[in-house]
Amino acid sequence: MIATPTWRSRASRLLGEMVRFLAVGGLATAVSFVGFNALAHGLLFGVAPLRSYPIVAYVVANVVAGIVAYVGTRVWAFREREARDQTTGVVRFFVLGALTMAIPVVCLWISRYVLGLSSPLADNLSANVIGLGISTATRFWVFRRFVFNQPVTREPWGPAA
């Protein structure tokens, strides 16, 4: 007999997913931050190959970060959830990730081309603080709802109370 999860156990599982999701996101954000600033502002190398193309630099850095995020999310953050179909899950992850990446890209675009701000501080506040903050909350819900949407059924360790 499978025990019905209590409100407390569901809340605990959700909190665990959120914490793991944020940890994986933190690592992916570090990859994105370093990659973007290296490409657009010369961080680490002193040469910024995409200085004139900050949007391209942001997208390239986030493609790499997206791979890190997928592996961490699949293996750890949502380890107790499955995609209905693995191939569809990967496609959904990257398509939905690309769609939600539009949020920080739009914030960066507004900062650069509407407000005329081009400093590393302005770029990072617009894309990596404001845009990423909004898109992180959006991604958690989107990935949980549309990618890793099947809770894994586990047998209880002992008899139901």
Side-chain angles (χ1 to χ4, degrees), residues 97-123:
L99 290 174
T100 59
M101 186 175 63
I103 297 167
V105 167
V106 167
C107 291
L108 177 60
W109 185 87
I110 290 170
S111 176
R112 275 285 180 129
Y113 303 112
V114 175
L115 301 176
L117 304 171
S118 61
S119 71
L121 179 62
D123 283 353

Side-chain angles (χ1 to χ4, degrees), residues 16-158:
E17 286 179 351
M18 290 172 71
V19 168
R20 291 188 305 269
F21 182 82
L22 290 172
V24 168
L27 176 60
T29 298
V31 169
S32 170
F33 178 83
V34 170
F36 170 68
N37 283 287
L39 294 170
H41 299 292
L43 178 71
L44 303 177
F45 304 110
V47 176
L50 296 176
R51 182 177 308 279
S52 299
Y53 305 98
I55 304 296
V56 173
Y58 192 81
V59 171
V60 168
N62 277 278
V63 166
V64 175
I67 293 166
V68 170
Y70 178 78
V71 172
T73 302
R74 175 71 199 98
V75 172
W76 188 53
F78 289 130
R79 68 179 179 223
E80 295 177 359
R81 302 183 74 79
E82 293 286 339
R84 266 177 220 203
D85 173 271
Q86 292 298 322
T87 303
T88 303
V90 171
V91 170
R92 282 183 182 174
F93 183 90
F94 283 101
V95 168
L96 295 171
L99 290 174
T100 59
M101 186 175 63
I103 297 167
V105 167
V106 167
C107 291
L108 177 60
W109 185 87
I110 290 170
S111 176
R112 275 285 180 129
Y113 303 112
V114 175
L115 301 176
L117 304 171
S118 61
S119 71
L121 179 62
D123 283 353
N124 282 287
L125 283 175
S126 63
N128 291 322
V129 175
I130 297 167
L132 190 61
I134 296 167
S135 70
T136 297
T138 304
R139 271 189 196 111
F140 177 79
W141 180 79
V142 165
F143 291 163
R144 191 171 193 276
R145 174 74 173 92
F146 296 107
V147 179
F148 303 105
N149 53 2
Q150 299 298 309
V152 173
T153 304
R154 300 193 193 280
E155 291 294 323
W157 289 99

